[in-house]
Amino acid sequence: MKHNAYICVLGGIAAGFRSRRRTIIAAMAAMAVLPIDASDAGRLAHTAKSAPRHGKSPKHVSSPKRPTVKLAALGPVALHPSALKPAATTCDPSKFRIVLDVGHTAESEGAISARNVAEFVFNLRLAQRIEEKLKGEGFAETRLLVTEGKARPSLVKRVAAANNLHADLFLSIHHDAVPNSFLENWEFEGRKSHFSDRFSGYSVFVSRNNPDFETSLLFAELVGKEMKANGLQYAQQYSQAIMGRYQHPLLNKETGVYSYDKLIVLKSTRMPAVLLEAGSIINRDEELKMDSPERRDIISSGVTAAVKEFCDPRWAILGPP
Ligand SMILES: [Zn+2]
């Protein structure tokens, strides 16, 4: 179903489970040897009880990368105050290693845009631009992570690569689509295509099961704040019931940060991890914007500013502007 667009993050996995017995067997085999909770992929634990205990582990106490942050007003899901515990130390940009994970693979391309371009193509171009900007700002250890192979094994490979690189921060780059039930038909350049103009915008995801959830949230907030400061609006549909099993708890109604607790790349990475859905490529207007160098510049500058703020002690002292 190559040209069947789907919501980018979960869709590939969910579609595989629905339609291909071989995928199910392969995934079950993977689950036997790896700590993957695929059966829970569509079921999110929304209760505070399921969230990790914040600030208890020695790793959190000694983390050298977490500046102070004043979090904006929280949305529907309340967080324990200790999740926002400040730290006075900061990071050295020349040694700070951020892994930019290019979502999906050349073989398993993610969503298909309204004009039949693979999400992987959008993800790669944007991640490359972010890499350029970060390196230009002195973040010499920035690593672009391009993964090969099928969808699910690639998730495990990403996590292993980031862990082996001893990354300080993990940022996965994606572009959004919609569940199949929202798709409408049209023709683009004589070819039957699918679109949905109903939703648009970026969104930022973190997992409350990440071993350093509070730092993940801190960086996610900075990314969302920068997107907003650049005039972008977040995708609000993920908190709505119409999204069904794609619904996610909104952690901050100002910045568009959602939790996505079971996502492998966010929960199994041993460093703070954030996923950015940069914008919708199934929305016909927004696809054109996401395809433009100007929009890539805006988003990559925003991400770079967020990383700089994350590392900058002056920001930690002064607080958010
Ligand atoms: Zn994706």
Side-chain angles (χ1 to χ4, degrees):
M1 302 291 281
K2 187 179 178 191
H3 301 297
N4 201 5
Y6 44 64
I7 198 164
C8 103
V9 175
L10 244 185
I13 298 165
F17 272 92
R18 273 200 305 274
S19 62
R20 296 214 308 270
R21 184 179 169 80
R22 185 172 294 179
T23 305
I24 296 172
I25 294 167
M28 287 174 72
M31 286 166 66
V33 294
L34 293 161
I36 302 170
D37 201 356
S39 61
D40 280 332
R43 297 199 306 269
L44 291 173
H46 293 185
T47 62
K49 196 177 173 183
S50 69
R53 291 176 186 172
H54 308 301
K56 298 291 186 194
S57 78
K59 186 183 175 188
H60 294 169
V61 173
S62 61
S63 172
K65 281 105 190 177
R66 191 170 66 239
T68 303
V69 67
K70 294 174 189 170
L71 198 66
L74 289 172
V77 177
L79 296 169
H80 192 279
S82 66
L84 312 174
K85 186 166 58 76
T89 49
T90 183
C91 61
D92 176 353
S94 68
K95 295 176 182 165
F96 188 79
R97 180 170 291 169
I98 176 168
V99 165
L100 298 171
D101 171 47
V102 178
H104 308 280
T105 68
E107 183 180 337
S108 178
E109 301 172 306
I112 301 297
S113 80
R115 293 172 179 80
N116 304 307
V117 177
E119 182 197 342
F120 177 72
V121 174
F122 283 85
N123 296 343
L124 181 60
R125 281 187 306 200
L126 179 58
Q128 285 172 331
R129 191 76 186 101
I130 296 171
E131 180 194 23
E132 281 175 13
K133 293 227 176 195
L134 280 170
K135 287 187 170 172
E137 293 289 336
F139 290 88
E141 288 292 309
T142 302
R143 296 285 188 272
L144 192 72
L145 180 58
V146 180
T147 312
E148 296 179 345
K150 295 185 187 303
R152 177 160 287 276
S154 87
L155 299 180
V156 180
K157 287 183 197 171
R158 290 166 211 277
V159 170
N163 289 343
N164 290 337
L165 281 166
H166 301 289
D168 297 301
L169 192 59
F170 180 92
L171 177 63
S172 192
I173 302 296
H174 287 255
H175 287 73
D176 217 352
V178 293
N180 286 347
S181 58
F182 291 107
L183 291 176
E184 298 173 56
N185 297 321
W186 73 317
E187 274 198 12
F188 177 70
E189 294 183 343
R191 190 169 156 194
K192 187 183 173 189
S193 308
H194 302 284
F195 75 97
S196 172
D197 295 336
R198 187 166 173 177
F199 307 119
S200 61
Y202 74 89
S203 44
V204 193
F205 294 91
V206 292
S207 170
R208 288 175 288 191
N209 294 329
N210 180 281
D212 200 349
F213 161 68
E214 58 263 51
T215 311
S216 304
L217 177 62
L218 186 155
F219 181 61
E221 292 287 349
L222 292 175
V223 171
K225 184 172 72 79
E226 286 296 332
M227 296 297 124
K228 188 177 177 184
N230 281 300
L232 304 178
Q233 295 188 322
Y234 74 85
Q236 301 196 8
Q237 72 270 20
Y238 283 109
S239 61
Q240 297 170 5
I242 51 165
M243 294 300 280
R245 64 196 180 90
Y246 299 109
Q247 198 177 359
H248 297 290
L250 182 61
L251 298 183
N252 190 325
K253 63 184 178 185
E254 299 298 321
T255 52
V257 176
Y258 292 89
S259 71
Y260 194 157
D261 295 333
K262 301 290 185 184
L263 195 66
I264 292 169
V265 296
L266 295 182
K267 74 169 187 171
S268 298
T269 35
R270 292 199 294 265
M271 73 283 310
V274 170
L275 185 145
L276 173 64
E277 294 278 1
S280 173
I281 53 171
I282 200 72
N283 178 309
R284 292 175 293 184
D285 283 344
E286 191 155 83
E287 181 193 5
L288 294 177
K289 291 172 185 165
M290 302 313 296
D291 192 34
S292 71
E294 292 77 17
R295 180 59 68 88
R296 280 196 291 279
D297 263 356
I298 289 171
I299 293 172
S300 54
S301 294
V303 169
T304 302
V307 174
K308 286 171 71 177
E309 288 179 54
F310 188 81
C311 280
D312 188 342
R314 285 170 297 176
W315 190 87
I317 294 164
L318 297 172

